[in-house]
Amino acid sequence: MNAPILVFDSGIGGLTVLRELRTAMPDRRFIYVADDAGFPYGDWEEEPLVARILDLFAELIDTYEPSLAVIACNTASTLVLPQLRARFAIPFVGTVPAIKPATERTRSGLVSVLATPGTVRRVYTRDLVEAFATHCEVRLVGSPELARLAERSLLDSEASGDQELDDAMAAEIAPCFVEAGGQRTDIVVLACTHYPLIANHFRRLAPWPVDWLDPAEAIARRARSLCKPGSGELPEGFDSAHFTGGAPGYQMRRLVRGFGLEVADGAR
Ligand code: DGL
């Protein structure tokens, strides 16, 4: 039997990675874990966040015995991947800002990275810029609000078409748009897994069209390359979602069901 793959995020952002994982590995079962009790990760100091995630994984690996874990969160991956790999025997696939592909694709040489404040602060992210963006101007934009706005936009049925929400999103993405030396930003890296959920709003609110780069498909390919070949048949049962904050409310249940996940009883 194929052991399940664990997909981890602070909230609903990892669902954008889950949908690509499913396409890449149709014969696998997935367990989606949202650390909603710790959401948003973007606000956390590094040390307590590392400790929290390591403790959580000790429990999760013990309970679910996954064959592989995908950290579908840039804020966590840019911080805690080395410690996770050192401590646990299963393979871990991370999600980190797609700076290299963006610098290969840009024509204007102006690239922006839209992330959480945590991801922007990381040495890991700064090192990626140093290593790959020698011929480009990279602007790192750490949005304090967008992950929360993404959750609100998807979970609050009254939020759609809300002018105040539009204005808030437009203000958060505005620093990504740079004009310099007769050139304009042409690529924005979506460096938080929550953001592809609201990329349709970004497209509508952007001052000019850009490429919004979502690395989810590349992450799914990487995960597949690390998995032993599956049996070719989907195991019995269902994919499940677990919440560290306990049983989620109606809107959240409905949302994750739309992604093909059953909320496990006695949600964690
Ligand atoms: N989805 C997460 C990421 O990719 C972070 C959102 C948050 O918890 O701040 O960075």
Side-chain angles (χ1 to χ4, degrees):
M1 198 190 99
N2 304 335
I5 293 173
L6 197 146
V7 183
F8 179 82
D9 183 35
S10 57
I12 60 176
L15 296 170
T16 62
V17 179
L18 176 71
R19 60 189 176 200
E20 296 298 335
L21 289 165
R22 283 229 183 87
T23 308
M25 292 177 281
D27 60 352
R28 301 285 168 165
R29 285 280 169 219
F30 294 91
I31 294 165
Y32 187 83
V33 179
D35 183 13
D36 58 332
F39 178 82
Y41 277 180
D43 293 350
W44 280 68
E45 290 299 325
E46 297 193 351
E47 228 177 280
L49 187 56
V50 170
R52 177 183 182 84
I53 296 172
L54 290 177
D55 283 354
L56 264 174
F57 265 88
E59 215 182 298
L60 291 169
I61 289 177
D62 202 39
T63 311
Y64 300 114
E65 301 180 343
S67 55
L68 175 129
V70 178
I71 308 300
C73 172
N74 293 258
T75 315
S77 298
T78 50
L79 180 66
V80 73
L81 274 177
Q83 294 93 320
L84 285 167
R85 288 183 176 132
R87 178 142 163 211
F88 303 106
I90 59 166
F92 285 86
V93 176
T95 308
V96 298
I99 291 171
K100 184 167 181 265
T103 59
E104 287 163 356
R105 260 192 234 179
T106 177
R107 275 184 297 193
S108 71
L110 298 178
V111 168
S112 291
V113 178
L114 185 58
T116 66
T119 299
V120 162
R121 278 197 303 270
R122 304 274 187 261
V123 172
Y124 188 98
T125 306
R126 307 267 159 176
D127 285 350
L128 282 179
V129 175
E130 281 278 296
F132 299 115
T134 40
H135 59 294
C136 295
E137 236 2 274
V138 176
R139 172 170 293 190
L140 298 175
V141 178
S143 161
E145 292 303 329
L146 275 180
R148 280 191 199 86
L149 294 175
E151 298 237 341
R152 194 174 128 210
S153 157
L154 268 89
L155 294 169
D156 177 355
S157 47
E158 281 171 21
S160 82
D162 180 335
Q163 187 60 42
E164 184 234 327
L165 189 67
D166 269 7
D167 292 347
M169 282 189 201
E172 296 295 301
I173 64 169
C176 294
F177 292 84
V178 179
E179 286 186 288
Q183 299 288 344
R184 301 204 293 197
T185 304
D186 61 355
I187 298 199
V188 179
V189 178
L190 297 171
C192 167
T193 53
H194 277 70
Y195 301 167
L197 293 168
I198 47 172
N200 55 336
H201 295 289
F202 295 168
R203 282 189 195 95
R204 182 169 52 80
L205 298 166
W208 60 79
V210 293
D211 227 356
W212 299 92
L213 199 67
D214 175 5
E217 204 186 319
I219 295 155
R221 277 199 304 272
R222 172 80 188 135
R224 188 178 53 194
S225 76
L226 292 179
C227 275
K228 295 198 186 88
S231 67
E233 275 179 36
L234 188 62
E236 290 286 302
F238 48 83
D239 293 347
S240 58
H242 297 259
F243 293 84
T244 57
Y250 170 74
Q251 296 285 8
M252 181 64 92
R253 281 175 180 268
R254 209 173 65 159
L255 177 78
V256 297
R257 254 188 219 138
F259 278 83
L261 298 165
E262 286 295 321
V263 176
D265 280 337
R268 314 158 59 85

